[in-house]
């Protein structure tokens, strides 16, 4: 019944509801409940938006208090006490301890707004239109951001040519033992390579939508160095890999680099409220008043919960160590599942960093069978990669050991039954 209703009224553009065609009604932590009371462990967590779980009570309390005292909800880009608290907490808890001196821009509320702002700023500063992007990169679907997104499904739906970016091979794109940056460096210095001198390079430390491809620390360091030597700005898109997902607040901390510009969104509010942010090196703030605007720049409710996440989880390294510990649990189990699949004639491998993990099963159909079987058994889990060939785990970072074990057991059952077929 619900299916008929939604299919009649909602555009065919819908996506996740195709994989999970039920009506969800409640959620807490890493558990979701359907309308008819069935329980599901959530390994999708809003595609990395719910790092602190559904309706985290610590964040809820701050939000409810703020609403109850009639705190400002919408104020365009007014200075508000919620904004002041968020900026101050970000500076004290995250930026200063990491030696980062960034200015903050709040664009519109979603990730793609942050990417648009970042690449436009890079073009404005350098006067160069081209952006260097990487194979399998995903940076959003508005016009400018989409040009830097690799996936043909999105590019074909643009209706006009996706221009303004040129793609280079990401780490691992040409298989093991090939450093793709050899090509990047040569192309940048060769006047006949066909690569226009870029304003910036935009890259994810771990490609989320692109298949949980983790660039090696050496690769990113070398990319940062290549860019720096040629006066090309480095934009790290931390929209999915940020806010602790890889085991550090910023994914690039693993490499010890300091990007020129950073985009952040998904788990930034921590409560699933839309919120996006651009961090830029202080001297790069070449915007003039109102040159990039929007009605929902820095929603106050999102800033209230964002500030609270920083206070609750990021004052010391306890949380980071927890994420790394749970990441290792997932890694071990995914390695086991990959071995089971490989031994059964379906070559598979484990991949990722922190709690951003996947099993590449080389086939979208096989991955779909595994996630579908998992859903029937009570686990919400999605695939990623250009052919949907990677089963990915993006469970909340606050997931309990019990919930995590339960989810992994369900996934193993599903893998086992696909193998036995
Ligand atoms: C999700 C995502 C975006 C786009 O964010 P939206 O909120 O969907 O616009 C951009 N970059 C990366 C790495 C993402 O994962």
């Amino acid at each position: 019944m619900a299916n008929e209703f939604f299919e009649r009224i909602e555009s065919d553009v819908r996506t996740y509801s195709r994989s999970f065609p039920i009506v969800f009604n409640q959620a807490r932590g890493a558990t979701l409940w359907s309308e008819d009371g069935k329980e599901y462990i959530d390994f999708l967590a809003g595609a990395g938006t719910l790092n602190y779980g559904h309706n985290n009570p610590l964040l809820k309390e701050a939000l409810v208090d703020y609403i109850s005292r009639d705190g400002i909800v919408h104020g365009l880009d007014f200075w508000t006490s919620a904004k002041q608290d968020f900026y101050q907490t970000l500076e004290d808890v995250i930026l200063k301890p990491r030696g980062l001196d960034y200015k903050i821009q709040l664009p519109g509320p979603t990730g793609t707004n942050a990417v648009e702002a970042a690449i436009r700023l890079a073009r404005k500063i350098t006067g160069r239109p081209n952006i260097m992007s990487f194979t399998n990169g995903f940076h959003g679907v508005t016009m400018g951001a989409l040009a830097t997104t690799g996936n043909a499904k999105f590019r074909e739906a643009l209706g006009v040519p996706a221009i303004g970016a040129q793609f280079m091979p990401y780490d691992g794109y040409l298989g093991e033992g090939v450093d793709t940056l050899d090509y990047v460096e040569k192309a940048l210095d060769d006047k006949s390579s066909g690569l226009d001198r870029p304003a910036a390079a935009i890259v994810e430390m771990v490609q989320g939508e692109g298949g949980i491809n983790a660039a090696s620390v050496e690769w990113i360091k070398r990319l940062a160095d290549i860019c720096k030597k040629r006066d090309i700005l480095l934009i790290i898109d931390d929209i999915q890999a940020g806010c602790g997902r890889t085991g550090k607040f910023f994914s690039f901390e693993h490499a010890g680099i300091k990007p020129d510009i950073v985009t952040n969104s998904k788990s930034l509010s921590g409560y699933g409220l839309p919120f996006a942010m651009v961090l830029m090196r202080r001297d790069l703030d070449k915007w003039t008043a109102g040159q990039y605007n929007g009605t929902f720049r820095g929603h106050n409710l999102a800033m209230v919960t964002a500030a609270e996440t920083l206070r609750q989880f990021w004052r010391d390294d306890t949380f980071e160590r927890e994420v790394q510990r749970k990441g290792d649990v997932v890694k071990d189990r995914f390695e086991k599942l990959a071995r089971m699949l490989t031994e059964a004639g379906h070559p598979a491998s484990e991949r990722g960093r922190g709690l951003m993990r996947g099993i590449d099963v080389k086939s979208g159909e096989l991955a779909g069978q595994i996630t579908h079987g998992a859903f029937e058994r009570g686990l919400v889990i999605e695939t990623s990669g250009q052919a949907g060939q990677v089963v990915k785990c993006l469970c909340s970072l606050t997931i309990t050991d019990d919930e995590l074990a339960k989810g992994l057991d369900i996934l193993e059952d599903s893998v086992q039954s696909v193998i036995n077929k």
Side-chain angles (χ1 to χ4, degrees), residues 13 23 29 32 43 103 113 133 139 151 166 241 244 262 288 353 400:
V13 78
V23 180
L32 287 157
F43 271 17
K103 284 186 88 176
N113 296 137
S133 184
H139 302 290
N151 197 315
Q166 283 179 303
V262 181
T288 58
R353 183 169 290 137
T400 63

Side-chain angles (χ1 to χ4, degrees), residues 377-398:
R377 291 169 173 80
L379 175 69
V380 169
I381 184 165
E382 255 294 6
T383 60
S384 85
Q386 47 88 23
Q389 76 281 20
V390 178
V391 176
K392 70 175 177 185
C393 172
L394 287 177
C395 64
S396 68
L397 311 180
T398 52

Side-chain angles (χ1 to χ4, degrees), residues 16 19-20 41-44 47 206-213 240 245 330-331 333-338 341 346-375 379-395 407-416 418-419:
Y16 291 103
S19 307
F20 313 107
I41 301 286
D42 188 3
F43 271 17
L44 176 58
V206 182
Q207 295 183 323
E209 300 309 299
I212 316 292
N213 310 309
Q240 188 162 149
R245 177 55 58 186
V330 177
K331 181 180 200 292
R333 186 67 84 88
F334 275 19
E335 276 171 355
K336 179 183 167 195
L337 297 183
L341 282 157
H346 307 288
S349 57
E350 182 279 334
R351 52 186 45 223
R353 183 169 290 137
L355 263 174
M356 194 166 181
R357 299 233 159 242
I359 310 170
D360 182 359
V361 303
K362 323 278 185 228
S363 147
E365 201 190 316
L366 184 62
Q369 284 170 9
I370 294 169
T371 54
H372 185 73
F375 181 57
L379 175 69
V380 169
I381 184 165
E382 255 294 6
T383 60
S384 85
Q386 47 88 23
Q389 76 281 20
V390 178
V391 176
K392 70 175 177 185
C393 172
L394 287 177
C395 64
L408 290 169
D409 287 347
I410 291 174
L411 190 64
E412 183 165 334
D413 280 352
S414 181
V415 166
Q416 195 64 61
V418 167
I419 286 173

